[in-house]
Amino acid sequence: MIPPEFDYAAPDSLDAALQALADGGEDAKPLAGGHSLLPLMRLRLAAPTLLVDLRRVPGLRALERENGGWRIGALSRHADLQRRAELGVLAETTALIADQQVRNRGTIGGSLAHGDPASDLPAVLLATEGTVTVRGSAGTREIAAADLFEDYMTTAIAPGEILTEVRVPALDGWGHAYEKFTRRAEDWAMVAVCALVSRADDGSCADVRVALTNMGSTPLRATAVEEALRGRPLDDETIARAAEQAAEGTAPPGDLNASPDYKRHLARVLTRRALRRAAEG
Ligand SMILES: Cc1cc2nc3c(=O)[nH]c(=O)nc-3n(C[C@H](O)[C@H](O)[C@H](O)COP(=O)(O)OP(=O)(O)OC[C@H]3O[C@@H](n4cnc5c(N)ncnc54)[C@H](O)[C@@H]3O)c2cc1C
């Protein structure tokens, strides 16, 4: 389908982009890789009157190690991150997004700002306890992952604000795994699980984070699993028992691919697999 008519601007500075969004009002939207927004416009599920293309804004594609973490420009494409093994679970997960064509265009900022609970990177931001920085006419603010995802495709980023960078703790020494279940290769996740495990000197679980993709209207932390594992041995039996609680407190919607019950089953199985792999380091 052909999208409704819209205006287009490609400013060459962040200030100019913010001004263009302010001038365009509530129906103006930033455009990054366009791989989520343009399909919605073609389906006429979104009808922005102005697209403010961020591609010419300098400095939004940085990737730097800083203060024990990573500072990643919002316009960094999935392809920029997927081969950087030092990014840990972020690199592992990015490599599992769709196909190379999508990864060559889609951006980390676009993925997080879009707030689709079936997207892979929101759960990674939640598990790593990362933050995003947004700029608006009132200044700059930082939003913690736990406060970013408010509802289905709804984030704490206000109209007129631009997500400029993503900060993710490096979590050196933690094991990681992202287990994604798809009906066909390169599909969206039916359910996916991000697990991060830190081992104590005696081999037990010093700390653990588990986040779920597509198990509700936002990505979710599986806190019951984390509590069941923290301080305990990282053997198969303890992990399996903890993973049984993965679906606790979730209300996944059924869809064409899976019923809510099947998604809950997947969450338990994928959590067990992800924890086992993350525990191996
Ligand atoms: C065929 C296909 C398969 C896909 N499969 C997967 C998958 O398996 N897993 C997955 O995670 N994703 C998948 N995606 C989505 C892909 O990762 C998108 O690229 C991503 O979700 C959105 O990034 P984008 O840069 O394309 O954003 P855009 O489409 O440009 O923008 C998306 C939304 O975010 C807003 N936005 C973008 N950048 C900013 C910013 N810097 N500040 C404020 N708001 C901003 C836009 O206004 C828009 O509302 C798939 C996409 C396609 C087309």
Side-chain angles (χ1 to χ4, degrees), residues 29-30 32-37 78 98 106-107 113 119-120 163 180 187-188:
K29 272 194 162 292
H35 269 47
S36 290
L37 184 54
H78 304 326
T107 66
S119 289
D120 298 294
L163 194 167
K180 175 171 178 175
D187 246 345
W188 293 83

Side-chain angles (χ1 to χ4, degrees), residues 169-185:
L171 299 176
D172 295 321
W174 288 58
H176 62 81
Y178 189 76
E179 286 286 337
K180 175 171 178 175
F181 192 84
T182 56
R183 197 166 64 82
R184 299 170 308 186

Side-chain angles (χ1 to χ4, degrees), residues 41-61:
M41 290 170 66
R42 290 172 66 102
L43 291 166
R44 303 213 168 201
L45 294 172
T49 49
L50 169 67
L51 290 187
V52 178
D53 194 335
L54 301 178
R55 268 180 293 177
R56 294 179 57 212
V57 175
L60 292 186
R61 223 168 145 182

Side-chain angles (χ1 to χ4, degrees), residues 218-231:
T218 63
L220 298 169
R221 275 287 279 274
T223 49
V225 176
E226 296 175 1
E227 279 160 25
L229 204 55
R230 206 170 280 121

